[in-house]
C-alpha cells in the first residue's frame, strides 16, 4: 500500500533542528559536506570525536575487529570489553565497569545501581536521587526526570518519581541535601548542555562531604566532560572528590556508540546476574573502539596537547572578549569552552558556519560552545580565532 504522506513528511522524525548541510567525510579537525566544501569542526560531534574524525589508530583496530567478530552477546567473555574495563579502572577511582551504548543508558545504569545498592544496604525507602538545576542527564524517561530543566521534561509527564532538584553551585541549599530517602547525588562537574558552567570547588567539596557523612553515593556524569575533554581524563580529578560512580559515553568510542559506568567495588557488587543488562552493551566492535581510544588518551600526548592548546585558546578568547561587548564572559575548562554572549548564541553559530565554514555549537540561548578535538593544534586554533574575530568584531 502506498503512503501519500511520503513526499511532504520527513521520514526521519524531526527531533533535531538540523543545520542545512550534509556532512559526508571527516578527518582530524575538518569535515566536508556532500558538495566538497571543507569546514573547520570545533564541535567534535558534540564532544564525541575527541581524537578528531576517523583517528587512524582506532580505525585500524576497529577494521581488524570487523574481520573477526561483530557481536556475540554478553553470555560470553569479550576480551576487548575486559581489557577496556581494566584500563578504565586503572585510570579512575572506580573498580568495576558496566557497559551500555549511550550516555542516557549510562545514567540509567547509575540510577539503577544507586537504588539497588541503597535498598540492599539501607532498605527500600532509600530511593531518591538528588540532581541540580540546569543539569542534563539524557532523554530516556528516568534520565529526563533526573534532568533539572523543565524544557527537556515538557510533554512527558508523568515523570519517573524519585528525583529532587537543588540549585547548582548553591552551598546554602545543600542544607536540604540529605533526607532519609536520599540514596545518591548525580551531578555534572562542569554543566555542558546547561551553559558550560564549572562546579564551584567549595560547593562540590561540601556535596562530597555530606555524601560521605550520610552514606549517599556521589555519582558524576562525565559523559560530556570525560575522556580528556576538560584537560584531565575525568573532570572530577581537578576537584578534591572521589566519586562512587562515574558515567561515561561520548568520547569513549571516538564516535562508535558506547557508554559505561565505573563504580567502586562496594557499589558494583549491587549488580548481580540478571539485575541489569544490555544486548549490545560492551560489544566487541564498540569496546575495541573504546580500548583504542582510551589507550591513545592515557598513553599518548593527546591530553597534554589539549591542556596546552586550551591555555592558548583561552588567553586569545579573553583578548577577543576584551575587544567587544558582544562577549560577556569566557568560561570552561580544557577544550570544553563557552562564550557568554549578548545576543542569541545561535546567530553567531550560523554566521561562523555560513560565512566562514567553521562549526561551533550553542549551550543554551546565550552561550556559544567551543569543542575542538583534543588533537587540534595552534595553527587550527589560529584559523579559528581569525573566524571568531570576524564573527564578533565585524558587523
Ligand atoms: C552530561 C550529559 N549526560 C548525558 C547525556 C546523554 O548522552 P546520550 O545523548 O549519549 O544519551 C549528555 C549528552 O549530551 C550529556 O552531555
Amino acid at each position: 500500500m502506498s503512503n501519500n504522506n511520503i513526499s511532504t513528511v520527513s521520514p526521519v522524525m524531526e527531533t533535531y533542528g538540523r543545520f542545512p548541510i550534509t556532512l559526508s567525510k571527516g578527518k582530524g579537525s575538518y569535515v566536508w559536506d556532500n558538495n566538497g566544501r571543507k569546514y573547520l569542526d570545533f564541535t567534535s560531534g558534540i564532544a564525541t570525536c575527541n581524537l578528531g574524525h576517523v583517528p587512524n589508530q582506532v580505525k585500524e583496530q576497529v577494521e581488524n575487529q570487523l574481520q573477526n567478530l561483530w557481536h556475540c552477546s554478553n553470555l560470553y567473555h569479550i576480551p576487548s570489553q575486559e581489557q577496556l574495563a581494566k584500563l578504565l579502572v586503572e585510570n579512575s577511582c572506580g573498580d568495576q565497569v558496566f557497559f551500555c551504548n549511550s550516555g542516557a543508558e549510562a545514567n540509567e545504569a547509575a540510577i539503577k545501581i544507586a537504588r539497588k545498592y541503597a535498598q540492599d544496604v539501607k532498605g527500600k525507602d532509600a530511593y531518591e536521587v538528588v540532581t541540580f538545576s540546569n543539569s542534563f542527564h539524557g532523554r530516556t524517561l528516568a534520565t529526563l526526570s533526573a534532568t533539572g530543566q523543565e524544557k527537556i521534561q515538557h510533554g512527558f509527564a508523568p515523570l519517573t518519581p524519585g528525583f529532587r532538584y537543588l540549585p547548582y553551585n548553591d552551598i546554602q541549599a545543600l542544607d536540604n541535601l540529605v533526607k532519609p530517602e536520599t540514596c545518591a547525588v548525580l551531578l555534572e562537574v562542569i554543566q555542558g548542555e546547561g551553559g558550560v558552567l564549572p562546579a564551584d570547588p567549595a560547593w562540590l567539596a561540601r556535596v562530597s562531604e555530606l555524601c560521605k557523612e550520610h552514606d549517599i553515593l556521589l555519582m558524576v556524569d562525565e559523559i560530556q566532560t570525560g575522556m580528556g575533554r576538560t584537560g584531565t581524563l575525568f573532570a572530577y580529578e581537578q576537584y578534591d572528590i572521589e566519586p562512587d560512580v562515574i558515567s561515561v559515553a561520548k568520547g569513549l568510542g571516538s564516535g562508535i556508540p558506547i557508554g559505561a559506568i565505573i563504580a567502586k567495588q562496594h557499589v558494583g557488587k549491587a549488580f548481580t546476574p540478571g539485575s541489569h543488562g544490555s544486548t549490545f552493551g560492551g560489544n566487541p566492535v564498540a569496546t575495541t573502539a573504546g580500548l583504542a581510544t582510551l589507550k591513545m588518551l592515557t598513553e599518548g600526548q593527546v591530553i597534554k596537547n589539549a591542556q596546552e592548546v586550551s591555555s592558548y585558546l583561552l588567553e586569545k578568547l579573553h583578548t577577543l572578549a576584551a575587544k567587544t561587548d558582544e562577549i560577556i564572559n569566557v568560561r570552561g575548562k580544557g577544550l570544553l569552552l563557552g562564550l557568554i554572549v549578548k545576543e542569541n548564541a545561535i546567530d553567531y553559530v550560523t554566521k561562523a558556519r555560513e560565512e566562514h565554514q567553521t562549526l561551533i555549537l550553542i549551550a543554551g540561548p546565550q552561550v556559544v560552545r567551543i569543542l575542538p578535538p583534543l588533537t587540534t593544534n595552534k595553527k587550527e586554533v589560529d584559523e579559528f580565532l581569525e573566524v571568531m574575530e570576524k564573527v564578533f568584531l565585524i558587523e
Side-chain angles (χ1 to χ4, degrees), residues 357-387:
Q357 290 169 233
T358 295
L359 305 183
I360 45 179
L361 290 171
I362 61 167
Q366 279 183 294
V367 182
V368 169
R369 188 168 29 155
I370 303 164
L371 296 163
L374 312 185
T375 48
T376 190
N377 54 41
K378 202 166 156 275
K379 185 167 164 283
E380 291 168 353
V381 167
D382 284 339
E383 182 186 332
F384 173 74
L385 288 162
E386 242 175 72
V387 170

Side-chain angles (χ1 to χ4, degrees), residues 134-176:
N134 268 330
S135 54
F136 184 75
H137 297 299
R139 300 282 191 163
T140 62
L141 267 175
T143 58
L144 73 83
S145 303
T147 292
Q149 294 189 56
E150 261 169 39
K151 71 168 198 267
I152 305 287
Q153 300 171 340
H154 182 75
F156 299 110
L159 300 182
T160 305
F163 296 98
R164 186 158 56 88
Y165 319 97
L166 289 179
Y168 190 72
N169 271 346
D170 182 338
I171 208 155
Q172 300 275 295
L174 294 178
D175 292 348
N176 292 322

